[in-house]
Amino acid sequence: MSSTADTVEREKNLQGIGCSRKRKEDPRFIQGKGNYVDDIKMPGMLFADMVRSPHAHARIKSINKEKALALPGVHAVITAEDLKPLNLHWMPTLAGDVQAVLADEKVVFQQQEVALVVADDRYIAADATELVEVEYEELPPIVDPHKAMDPDAPIIREDLVGKMEGAHSKRLHDNHIFTWEVGQKDETDRVFETAEVTVKQEMTYQRVHPSPLETCGCVASFDKIKGTLTVYITSQAPHVVRTVVSQLSGIPESKVRIISPDIGGGFGNKVGVYPGYVATIVASIVLGRPVKWVEDRIEHLSTTAFARDYHMTGELAADKDGRIKALRVNVLADHGAFDACADPSKFPAGLFHICTGSYDIPTAYARVDGVYTNKAPGGVAYRCSFRVTEAVYLIERMVDVLAQKLNIDKAEIRFRNFIKPEQFPYTSAFGWEYDSGNYHAALKKVLEAVDYEGLRKEQAEKRARGELMGIGIVTFTEIVGAGPSKTCDILGIGMFDSCEIRVHPTGSALARMGTITQGQGHQTTYAQIIASELGIPSEDIQIEEGDTDTAPYGLGTYGSRTTPVGGAATAKAARKIRAKARKIAAHLLEVSEDDLEWDVDRFRVKGSPDQAKTMKEIAWAAYNNVPEGMEPGLEAVEYYDPPNFTYPFGAYVCVVDIDKYTGVTKIRRFYALDDCGTRINPMIIDGQIHGGLTEGFAVAMGQELIYDEGGNILGNSFMDYFLPTAVETPHWETDYTVTPSPHHPLGAKGVAESPHVGSIPTFTAAVVDAFAHLGVTHMNMPHNAFNVWKKIHELGLDKRS
Amino acid sequence: MAKQHISFTLNGQKVETLVEPRELLIHVLREQLGQTGSHIGCDTSHCGACTVDLNGKSVKACTILAVQANDGEVLTVEGLAKDGELHPVQEGFMQEHGLQCGFCTPGMLLRAYRFLQENPNPTEEEIRWGMSGNLCRCTGYQNIIKAVQYAAKKMQSA
């Protein structure tokens, strides 16, 4: 009979769910054997470089390629004129708009793609870009989104003139993209009219950029004889890219192979299809040779998808005890020159309407208006589910504003408004069904851990001495795991995800998924799921993703959807295999299936545990001794369409000390408690949280893509765009609670984006809290020393006595 | 452009090649010599993904001309492990989960390798400053610091 110790030992050997298993990916990365797009080298490969617009808004009068083509080593200069006969000069965006692949008659943002030069090497290609002569006639640019809909505003998108029926609504102006409304407008207005207390706050969520350390790029290789196209690409969604490329090029999808090799970070930036990819593919088709195009950092920051740029006005109605009765939100969204947001098709503002947050708010209304400006397109989910960062920022800021108005403690007001544990599943005013949560317990645990009362006492003493200390509290709820195909699709394809598992005769396994890792450690964690489900040691399970010729179709990795959707697919595929294994075990043991029970890595006969068949034995039998009528083999595929999103949550506290003469903010303490349901690999979870907090720190404290009045982008290199080093980055303290998702097969919810979503408002809350006693309710990000000093100076706090 | 002949020691092996005077060391390492471990992350020598060791100093190979490496000694991530045994900094990054996407890792490792020779027993603060020429977008540095501490300890006890 198997003893408890034996069971524990066997479980340990599996390295399954809950194990801080070391990463399977690491040996190749620490030895320089990663394989990123720029590492790909193919025989006869050429290099491409892009000619870009120096102007934010201008008409192209002429393009002269002659000098460039005359440079030895140059093979082609491709412009919109060359793409027109192929009908590839424009491409559809994920948001129902179109985007110029190469500028067609005019340019609409600085650094826009104008011509692609293809040459023998990257140096010649770069030289040749300087030789392409483009004559421009400058036009006045629109930089401020608030002026985009002025009656006399210059028209940015001449291709849309007269088309007033947009993809999501009527367009109210030539520079208007959509109006999107959700919730109960009239009812919300009524609540506001009669409310005991109302507060209103304007806030700007600045334009930032995900900026993974690897820029975007691809290697396209068209085989003229076979008619096949292979593209190595930095893509978070290779299968969707294959569909798009097939639709654009007319090459059958079966002859298009997209390979996402190792990816040097994505953070939402690598979801869409960029003009450079399309132009490079065309170059390979035209020239019949492999062509590589990899952007440099300035191109990356200037042209690939930015995030945020939301100009929000929030309002809360409440009673005098701080119990919230209604939320009203108006947003002006700057989408740049093309609407290339990466959101599920039906949601032009993503999942922004999660903005009632962790609070039981009975009535709510939100309106978002998207406008065009002469800036780069984007609006992607930078380490968050679609627009959830903006939503969480808004509600967390508003709750603080209300607390200050009523002079209620910022923790206390949250306890008063939380959705209670017994209210789950909870339907929000905007119609989301929150799966599970225990917000009270999470905040209580954090407050105790940081000695919240002690901190407030210290703050009071410091205030009395004229020192600036702030305490920020945030209790956020995310919505991730897009998503149920009844509401979520990308270009008409439901947002399911997939897993295919093959168990080999000797008991090891190969599994492939429709998702793609960019540092999250999928090769490690997916194996853990299968190990726990099938009793095969995770060391013996090989995980492959990213090659559309071999992996099952999936929508990819972004919006924290890997664990909620891909992880569920993996568990379900494994369970199909286990169900078959059970039948085989019953056959081998000559008992009924019902007489068997699962025991870590084997099926054993109930009441007679020495009679058992291990998964390894069953795997062998699957190939030579299956019950009569059963097909041999041991494999399964699952396409998992989630019944709902998952709703991870957390409670964060940040303590800051601000120097009142320099405006420098020191993050003294940051305590992050996350609840992502079932925890698959705690080591990786902690790593993801550290990373998310650091990216949140960067956004809140320093990141901003600035444009001047002429539409010149000012922050497009690492000289200007803030990426924190180890010196600036604070020390992080992490904690957790576990509230499993009731509808996910493993109870898991997804984690990597929560710390980004949750931390950003926490930093703002802490900085503002340092000034709260002086009547300050909000300060816009980034909270760099200069911006904070301006507030200090405005308040006269920097006067030396 | 007329090419120049250069030779240098790369990971213990003598290499010779022809380069244009303007060619950057990182491109020669990656594209001519097939050592793609070192990466290119920016154009302004801020990110440190291209960090290699040249003549006993950490250098950013995107800001060094290949001709400057002539007669020199270059170490890249491919040369860190010896006889199949990982260098303590490699082991530290794996044990302490000091990497995620892996793109910054070769540069981080090479910087940690040199830093720990400059300062074999660093404090956390010294590690933060010593590694501050290398950017990481994934880890938040906390585990990178632990990885360097792991390596320091291991190298001290060796």
Side-chain angles (χ1 to χ4, degrees), chain A residues 634-681:
Chain A
L634 199 56
E635 55 184 74
V637 186
E638 170 79 20
Y639 284 79
Y640 182 78
D641 185 1
N644 190 3
F645 294 86
T646 62
Y647 297 76
F649 61 95
Y652 291 179
V653 167
C654 175
V655 185
V656 300
D657 298 299
I658 299 175
D659 184 299
K660 63 179 178 177
Y661 300 111
T662 62
V664 170
T665 300
K666 168 109 185 106
I667 312 295
R668 186 206 307 179
R669 192 162 188 196
F670 200 104
Y671 197 95
L673 179 146
D674 276 277
D675 191 320
C676 61
T678 303
R679 292 157 59 86
I680 294 164
N681 183 321

Side-chain angles (χ1 to χ4, degrees), chain A residues 22-23 25-27 29-34 36 38-39 41 47 121-124 127 209-215 262-265 267 292 296-299 382-383 518-520 683-688 690-692 694-695 698 703 717-719 721-733, chain B residues 1 3 20 22-25 27-28 30-44 46-47 49 77-78 80-81 84 86 89-91 93-106 109 124-125 127-143 145-146:
Chain A
K22 301 295 178 211
R23 294 201 332 161
E25 293 85 349
D26 290 357
F29 290 143
I30 58 173
Q31 296 182 83
K33 298 298 175 200
Y36 303 88
D38 202 10
D39 301 341
K41 199 172 181 178
F47 288 78
D121 69 38
R122 63 176 83 225
Y123 286 74
I124 299 170
D127 286 342
H209 195 284
S211 205
L213 205 57
E214 177 200 38
T215 59
D262 288 325
I263 298 180
F267 314 123
K292 177 188 279 189
D296 65 28
R297 180 59 54 182
I298 289 173
E299 293 177 295
Y382 171 11
R383 202 171 186 142
Q518 309 127 40
Q520 298 93 333
M683 175 192 82
I684 286 181
I685 289 173
D686 254 15
Q688 292 295 312
H690 292 169
T694 305
E695 288 192 346
Q703 290 188 341
S717 82
F718 286 164
M719 294 287 272
Y721 190 72
F722 176 60
L723 294 193
T725 72
V727 173
E728 296 89 29
T729 303
H731 176 82
W732 309 114
E733 295 172 78
Chain B
M1 215 172 284
K3 294 203 172 185
E20 283 184 33
R22 65 174 178 171
E23 264 185 273
L24 298 172
L25 179 59
H27 288 140
V28 172
R30 289 176 48 80
E31 281 160 24
Q32 285 199 34
L33 302 172
Q35 306 295 295
T36 53
S38 314
H39 298 136
I40 305 167
C42 71
D43 338 303
T44 46
H46 283 82
C47 82
V77 68
E78 289 90 346
L80 270 184
L86 294 178
V89 294
Q90 291 173 304
E91 202 184 305
F93 272 71
M94 172 134 181
Q95 290 301 321
E96 298 294 348
H97 187 29
L99 65 148
Q100 290 178 25
C101 82
F103 200 76
C104 76
T105 311
L109 291 170
E124 178 181 332
E125 187 70 4
I127 296 171
R128 285 184 183 266
W129 282 99
M131 301 294 292
S132 65
N134 294 66
L135 295 175
C136 172
R137 293 290 286 146
C138 298
T139 65
Y141 304 104
Q142 202 147 312
N143 289 344
I145 291 157
K146 281 196 203 161

Side-chain angles (χ1 to χ4, degrees), chain A residues 194-216:
Chain A
T194 56
E196 289 174 8
V197 185
T198 62
V199 287
K200 183 174 184 175
Q201 183 67 55
E202 287 182 10
M203 59 191 86
T204 296
Y205 206 136
Q206 79 276 24
R207 180 175 279 234
V208 295
H209 195 284
S211 205
L213 205 57
E214 177 200 38
T215 59
C216 296

Side-chain angles (χ1 to χ4, degrees), chain A residues 121-134:
Chain A
D121 69 38
R122 63 176 83 225
Y123 286 74
I124 299 170
D127 286 342
T129 61
E130 307 270 313
L131 298 173
V132 177
E133 296 170 322
V134 188

Side-chain angles (χ1 to χ4, degrees), chain A residues 273-302:
Chain A
V273 170
Y274 292 122
Y277 303 153
V278 177
T280 304
I281 289 167
V282 172
S284 177
I285 293 172
V286 170
L287 297 167
R289 288 174 68 170
V291 179
K292 177 188 279 189
W293 168 76
V294 177
E295 1 157 83
D296 65 28
R297 180 59 54 182
I298 289 173
E299 293 177 295
H300 181 72
L301 283 166
S302 310

Side-chain angles (χ1 to χ4, degrees), chain A residues 115-429:
Chain A
L116 188 82
V117 175
V118 187
D120 280 336
D121 69 38
R122 63 176 83 225
Y123 286 74
I124 299 170
D127 286 342
T129 61
E130 307 270 313
L131 298 173
V132 177
E133 296 170 322
V134 188
E135 199 184 341
Y136 296 96
E137 177 192 321
E138 280 189 70
L139 300 168
I142 297 277
V143 179
D144 181 352
H146 296 279
K147 294 182 181 158
M149 300 224 287
D150 283 357
D152 59 344
I155 297 171
I156 297 169
R157 292 289 299 280
E158 287 168 14
D159 60 301
L160 298 179
V161 169
K163 294 179 188 166
M164 300 315 280
E165 198 60 52
H168 303 286
S169 74
K170 284 215 173 323
R171 301 199 307 133
L172 308 174
H173 184 284
D174 282 314
N175 293 333
H176 185 242
I177 309 171
F178 64 83
T179 298
W180 186 68
E181 289 179 285
V182 63
Q184 307 90 10
K185 185 174 193 306
D186 295 341
E187 176 61 16
T188 304
D189 289 346
R190 262 195 299 280
V191 175
F192 269 87
E193 278 161 25
T194 56
E196 289 174 8
V197 185
T198 62
V199 287
K200 183 174 184 175
Q201 183 67 55
E202 287 182 10
M203 59 191 86
T204 296
Y205 206 136
Q206 79 276 24
R207 180 175 279 234
V208 295
H209 195 284
S211 205
L213 205 57
E214 177 200 38
T215 59
C216 296
C218 68
V219 179
S221 177
F222 183 69
D223 184 322
K224 279 194 169 173
I225 293 165
K226 291 186 194 156
T228 54
L229 175 70
T230 303
V231 187
Y232 294 85
I233 188 168
T234 51
S235 175
Q236 296 177 231
H239 299 272
V240 181
V241 171
R242 186 183 72 189
T243 303
V244 171
V245 167
S246 171
Q247 285 174 340
L248 280 175
S249 66
I251 302 170
E253 207 168 344
S254 55
K255 290 190 167 182
V256 178
R257 181 183 188 187
I258 305 294
I259 302 171
S260 282
D262 288 325
I263 298 180
F267 314 123
N269 175 259
K270 293 172 178 170
V271 173
V273 170
Y274 292 122
Y277 303 153
V278 177
T280 304
I281 289 167
V282 172
S284 177
I285 293 172
V286 170
L287 297 167
R289 288 174 68 170
V291 179
K292 177 188 279 189
W293 168 76
V294 177
E295 1 157 83
D296 65 28
R297 180 59 54 182
I298 289 173
E299 293 177 295
H300 181 72
L301 283 166
S302 310
T303 67
T304 64
F306 73 91
R308 323 287 151 78
D309 218 341
Y310 255 33
H311 306 258
M312 309 187 279
T313 305
E315 293 173 89
L316 286 178
D319 66 20
K320 59 185 185 323
D321 294 325
R323 288 194 173 77
I324 302 167
K325 303 296 180 193
L327 167 71
R328 190 161 58 194
V329 187
N330 278 281
V331 179
L332 179 66
D334 183 343
H335 284 231
F338 304 102
D339 187 14
C341 273
D343 291 318
S345 304
K346 295 183 194 75
F347 299 103
L351 311 178
F352 181 75
H353 45 316
I354 193 69
C355 61
T356 52
S358 308
Y359 313 105
D360 187 9
I361 301 177
T363 314
Y365 165 77
R367 171 179 172 149
V368 180
D369 282 277
V371 295
Y372 292 120
T373 60
N374 288 110
K375 300 183 203 166
V380 292
Y382 171 11
R383 202 171 186 142
C384 68
S385 209
F386 321 95
R387 299 291 189 188
V388 173
T389 323
E390 292 90 326
V392 168
Y393 192 82
L394 178 109
I395 186 65
E396 289 303 312
R397 291 278 58 244
M398 290 315 299
V399 170
D400 274 13
V401 171
L402 179 66
Q404 284 186 214
K405 166 111 178 184
L406 293 170
N407 203 20
I408 297 173
D409 178 84
K410 287 170 184 170
E412 174 56 28
I413 199 164
R414 287 175 162 79
F415 283 120
R416 285 186 199 173
N417 286 289
F418 276 150
I419 301 160
K420 296 179 184 70
E422 61 273 20
Q423 286 177 278
F424 291 93
Y426 168 85
T427 304
S428 78

Side-chain angles (χ1 to χ4, degrees), chain B residues 51-69:
Chain B
T51 303
V52 300
D53 206 69
L54 172 64
N55 300 331
K57 280 192 175 130
S58 298
V59 299
K60 291 178 175 172
C62 75
T63 329
I64 290 268
L65 296 168
V67 291
Q68 289 176 277

